[in-house]
Amino acid sequence: VMRRNPFGMDICCRKGSRSPLQELYNPTQVSLSNTAILHQIRRDQVTDTCRANSVSSRKRRVLTPNDLKHLVVDEDHEMIYCYVPKVACTNWKRVMMVLTGRGKYSDPMEIPANEAHVSSNLKTLNQYSIPEINHRLKNYMKFLFVREPFERLVSAYRNKFTQKYNTSFHKRYGTKIVRRQRKNATQEALRKGDDVKFEEFVAYLIDPHTQREEPFNEHWQTVYSLCHPCHIHYDLIGKYETLEEDSNYVLQLAGVGSYLKFPTYAKSTRTTDEMTTEFFQNISSLHQTQLYEVYKLDFLMFNYSVPSYLKLE
């Protein structure tokens, strides 16, 4: 039976149950209704920002398959998740493997982290035909998770440039950053690229040459560029700051909340607001201003205020 809901989406009543999209826009449980209002506010914020910044945000272009490689599809529960690195994406990929694994996995935390990042373990939207893509974008519940942009950036820097095991990042990006940003670099630093300072990383990000050369790596690319929220209407925007509640809300809407909970664990190494403040202390106000411009749409779109530690020019 095809039914048209008030939001103009064709939703097929699968297996006699309601789809996550129906449950989101017409909640049957009162407990879900209050949360639905919060997410409506977040959706409106994105819409308003896209409209207000239409010159920079809505360049009329058609999304290419390459633009859709971050959108993970769950056919069984009719959901699409756009993953953003450094915003709990390892755990969300684990959960998606449980949801799409047809019983192969039951506990997300039993899936090794490296296994969660094997691309063949999850199906992404760019693997479908154009009509199939359009159908899913119209009928599936689309969600993503966001984080305070500079906290996410410091988290990416700490993970990729201060951990000795990340040699591939040191080789690919570290050597380039040292070569461009460090005067009188030693031969060893130029060869290894394993001691990049945060100030050098920032200088690399705001360097116009970097932007022209190639897209940012996904770990520091803007959410706006990874998930295209001005071109794709996200039904639900979760936040890292309310990760547990928002994640379990998604699982409730999918009808699996009774037996699947989002994994939580206290990570002592987690990048915090205080830590981010410290990292920015040595960044000049000019560089802070230029960096804010790079990430400005993410700040506005997801309602993050300008950090109090910033000295903007």
Side-chain angles (χ1 to χ4, degrees), residues 12-151:
C12 179
C13 316
R14 33 174 208 125
K15 308 181 212 64
S17 65
R18 287 159 60 83
S19 76
L21 212 50
Q22 286 173 313
E23 201 54 69
L24 174 68
Y25 290 111
N26 302 302
T28 46
Q29 298 170 43
V30 178
S31 61
L32 294 181
S33 302
N34 301 333
T35 317
I37 295 164
L38 166 73
H39 287 280
Q40 180 64 56
I41 293 166
R42 289 182 185 173
R43 280 194 296 277
D44 291 346
Q45 177 77 20
V46 171
T47 306
D48 294 347
T49 308
C50 290
R51 202 173 288 134
N53 296 274
S54 58
V55 179
S56 52
S57 68
R58 280 199 83 98
K59 289 181 182 130
R60 280 318 307 162
R61 65 185 192 85
V62 175
L63 294 178
T64 65
N66 196 44
D67 292 321
L68 305 175
K69 61 178 189 288
H70 274 246
L71 280 79
V72 175
V73 181
D74 172 3
E75 294 288 355
D76 294 356
H77 304 91
E78 299 184 356
M79 298 197 302
I80 294 173
Y81 159 59
C82 184
Y83 70 89
V84 178
K86 307 313 298 172
V87 191
C89 88
T90 304
N91 277 353
W92 255 111
K93 284 181 175 180
R94 285 169 161 145
V95 169
M96 293 300 277
M97 283 172 72
V98 172
L99 289 172
T100 59
R102 309 274 169 107
K104 191 175 166 189
Y105 312 97
S106 58
D107 179 1
M109 291 316 278
E110 281 179 3
I111 302 170
N114 59 340
E115 187 80 3
H117 296 293
V118 174
S119 55
S120 58
N121 282 334
L122 290 165
K123 195 158 186 191
T124 47
L125 197 57
N126 59 341
Q127 296 169 354
Y128 292 83
S129 70
I130 302 292
E132 288 172 332
I133 288 171
N134 288 334
H135 171 77
R136 281 156 185 74
L137 284 175
K138 189 179 175 190
N139 296 292
Y140 286 16
M141 184 178 84
K142 300 166 294 300
F143 69 98
L144 78 163
F145 276 77
V146 300
R147 183 177 186 177
E148 201 279 340
F150 284 172
E151 194 180 289

Side-chain angles (χ1 to χ4, degrees), residues 257-310:
S258 57
Y259 61 87
L260 182 59
K261 293 277 177 277
F262 191 77
T264 55
Y265 55 98
K267 238 177 133 182
S268 56
T269 57
R270 188 174 98 70
T271 300
T272 59
D273 185 44
E274 294 77 33
M275 215 180 269
T276 306
T277 305
E278 272 176 50
F279 273 91
F280 272 86
Q281 273 175 347
N282 298 328
I283 307 297
S284 72
S285 55
L286 174 63
H287 280 189
Q288 288 187 5
T289 306
Q290 290 172 311
L291 191 69
Y292 179 73
E293 282 303 315
V294 174
Y295 292 92
K296 187 177 176 179
L297 276 178
D298 279 6
F299 274 100
L300 296 173
M301 204 167 272
F302 307 117
N303 206 18
Y304 288 107
S305 51
V306 177
S308 55
Y309 56 77
L310 283 194

